[in-house]
Amino acid sequence: MSVPTDVLVIGGGATGVGVARDLAMRGVDVVLAERDGLSGGTTGRSHGLLHSGARYAEADADGAAACIAENRVLREIAGDCLRDTGGYFVQLPGDDPDYFAAKRDACRDLGIEVDVRSGSAAREAIPELSPEIERVMRVPDAVAYPSRLVAATAQSARDHGAAIHTDAPVTDLHGDADTAADGATDETITAASIGGTVDDRIVADHIVNATGAWAGECAALAGIDLKMSPTRGVMVAVENEGLDTVLNRCREPADGDIVVPHENQVVLGTTSVAVDDPDEYPQPERAIERMIDECAAMVPALDGREPARTYWGVRPLYDPTAAGEGARAISRDFFLLDNEERDDTEGFTSIVGGKLTTHRRMAEAVADHVCERLGVDAACRTADNPLPGHDDPAVLDELVREFDAGSPADRDVTGA
Ligand SMILES: Cc1cc2nc3c(=O)[nH]c(=O)nc-3n(C[C@H](O)[C@H](O)[C@H](O)COP(=O)(O)OP(=O)(O)OC[C@H]3O[C@@H](n4cnc5c(N)ncnc54)[C@H](O)[C@@H]3O)c2cc1C
């Protein structure tokens, strides 16, 4: 059967559901297809840190500004998809004090709230911290529960008329001269074959490739050459006895420098190693031990802990030097690839890179672009409307189950 729609969004991670929500709220007819459950890709395998931007402030002012802006928006709309813990950047002996000062100054320049405290003041607030800690900087980091965020965003899209399909892999993309919109050419990609629970052809005026680390494979179905450079990272969850603040080691980003607290566990991470295939890559055991050892420098009680859960994710990184014509770097962090301009393939757009924290902004950029292409004149409303279930964890976790969005990143919280 052929199902017509305005826009097909491929991929049900944070970016894809964000795009579906944004377009649906602007009155666009949307179908989303995800090959697994929602958040089955990187989103459900991330660290779950809602960045304040402090991590990037001294090196990437634009990226940091995007993080603090989205951090504030999500606090307004996402309720119990988040946990407002605040965060500390901690300086240990040997960590460069000039780096600490540069980060502090850059945060202040960007309007990211910073409060510098002595090591002893920090330990008074958080007794679990190492006595070695020399000073800390408090920033508005928070914890994000990706499964809840994705499920609530999908429900909002559905409330505005979007069809959300899980277990629905897109297996082929092709031109469809008979059913395409007026003006379609042979290079117009309008139709997608979908397997799994859908088993239909979707005929769309526009297709959005929001498949993250798999964007190259998805684009290849449309004959487009798009090379991703994914990197893998490991996360280790261990039991938590009272830590309730995100911790970042205040040094150049390195392995094992972030601790993200949930109520009963803390998630330690992470690493960054290039992989060829986002589905099959080595997962060395020693990386797990190293996470615990590194993070124990900030919280000594973590030393020797048994992992309660370990998981790996792959970053959807894109090499901008390979972007070519038609690639718009919205920030250094994410790219909207206009495949019409870049590859002469009409009706097709890819969105690559980014972070969980900035997914709403990425979605807004895509929706602006698609609406321009479709001649839809409607403004983004996603920053102003709270997500469904935002004030009730039980409702959120029911949505997680309904969309099969349970994932390793927050399984201890959602129980799904
Ligand atoms: C180790 C690690 C830690 C991270 N920690 C953080 C953090 O703490 N904070 C933060 O802000 N960001 C973090 N990130 C980054 C963040 O997780 C990602 O940038 C973001 O989740 C990507 O979302 P996405 O929707 O673009 O991709 P994904 O979540 O990967 O979604 C893409 C989806 O497309 C689906 N798909 C693929 N092919 C097809 C097909 N043919 N048909 C249908 N569906 C398909 C996949 O199954 C997948 O669900 C981390 C990333 C990693 C790897």
Side-chain angles (χ1 to χ4, degrees), residues 44-399:
R45 302 180 151 271
S46 64
H47 217 142
L49 167 53
L50 183 73
H51 288 284
S52 60
R55 189 166 174 83
Y56 310 104
E58 76 292 343
D60 175 10
D62 288 350
C67 284
I68 187 63
E70 290 305 305
N71 176 305
R72 289 176 183 144
V73 168
L74 290 176
R75 284 167 189 272
E76 292 295 318
I77 67 169
D80 287 315
C81 302
L82 311 177
R83 183 164 177 237
D84 185 9
T85 57
Y88 278 180
F89 277 77
V90 308
Q91 181 187 316
L92 281 161
D95 293 343
D96 180 1
D98 291 343
Y99 182 81
F100 186 101
K103 190 179 283 297
R104 177 199 60 208
D105 294 349
C107 283
R108 286 184 176 148
D109 287 349
L110 287 161
I112 300 170
E113 301 85 348
V114 195
D115 179 18
V116 175
R117 298 174 185 181
S118 66
S120 54
R123 267 189 309 283
E124 221 167 275
I126 308 177
E128 291 82 3
L129 290 179
S130 162
E132 301 279 303
I133 286 176
E134 294 171 345
R135 58 178 172 167
V136 306
M137 164 178 4
R138 190 168 169 86
V139 297
D141 281 348
V143 179
Y145 298 133
S147 308
R148 287 183 178 173
L149 195 55
V150 164
T153 305
Q155 179 60 37
S156 173
R158 198 161 66 176
D159 287 345
H160 290 86
I164 308 289
H165 298 293
T166 54
D167 190 18
V170 170
T171 53
D172 195 16
L173 292 167
H174 35 89
D176 191 325
D178 294 337
T179 46
D182 288 349
T185 68
D186 282 348
E187 289 76 34
T188 305
I189 299 296
T190 57
S193 303
I194 301 189
T197 51
V198 177
D199 202 16
D200 275 335
R201 266 158 66 89
I202 305 290
V203 179
D205 291 342
H206 205 98
I207 295 178
V208 174
N209 171 10
T211 54
W214 296 267
E217 278 98 321
C218 180
L221 296 175
I224 295 168
D225 186 21
L226 192 169
K227 184 156 169 18
M228 298 296 290
S229 310
T231 68
R232 69 174 192 231
V234 64
M235 260 78 49
V236 185
V238 301
E239 294 311 312
N240 178 24
E241 285 145 20
L243 185 71
D244 62 358
T245 304
V246 171
L247 302 178
N248 291 263
R249 181 87 177 262
C250 196
R251 62 181 181 194
E252 290 285 353
D255 290 354
D257 58 0
I258 301 179
V259 178
V260 175
H262 295 179
E263 247 163 64
N264 300 312
Q265 293 185 348
V266 286
V267 183
L268 316 176
T270 182
T271 48
S272 187
V273 176
V275 298
D276 294 327
D277 179 345
D279 285 310
E280 300 267 348
Y281 49 89
Q283 303 186 354
E285 277 289 312
R286 65 180 181 284
I288 295 168
E289 279 165 39
R290 217 173 64 246
M291 283 313 95
I292 297 176
D293 289 350
E294 287 288 338
C295 291
M298 294 188 277
V299 182
L302 295 173
D303 195 22
R305 285 280 169 86
E306 279 302 310
R309 190 169 80 252
T310 59
Y311 60 94
W312 295 76
V314 277
R315 290 179 189 79
L317 298 184
Y318 180 70
D319 177 3
T321 57
E325 296 288 314
R328 230 183 306 154
I330 308 295
S331 79
R332 279 190 2 188
D333 194 39
F334 72 89
F335 290 84
L336 186 153
L337 305 182
D338 180 346
N339 300 116
E340 299 197 3
E341 220 175 292
R342 178 182 182 266
D343 307 285
D344 292 330
T345 304
E346 290 188 25
F348 201 82
T349 299
S350 301
I351 176 81
V352 289
K355 296 184 180 60
L356 178 64
T357 304
T358 53
H359 76 282
R360 194 211 60 83
R361 169 176 294 235
M362 294 167 70
E364 180 175 346
V366 173
D368 283 348
H369 171 77
V370 172
C371 284
E372 191 191 311
R373 285 283 188 261
L374 297 180
V376 173
D377 182 16
C380 176
R381 294 192 289 129
T382 56
D384 307 322
N385 292 274
L387 295 173
H390 67 99
D391 52 357
D392 188 340
V395 171
L396 290 169
D397 291 343
E398 192 47 45
L399 291 173

Side-chain angles (χ1 to χ4, degrees), residues 30-53:
V30 182
V31 173
L32 180 144
E34 160 57 46
R35 66 177 183 173
D36 293 322
L38 295 187
S39 80
T42 305
T43 298
R45 302 180 151 271
S46 64
H47 217 142
L49 167 53
L50 183 73
H51 288 284
S52 60

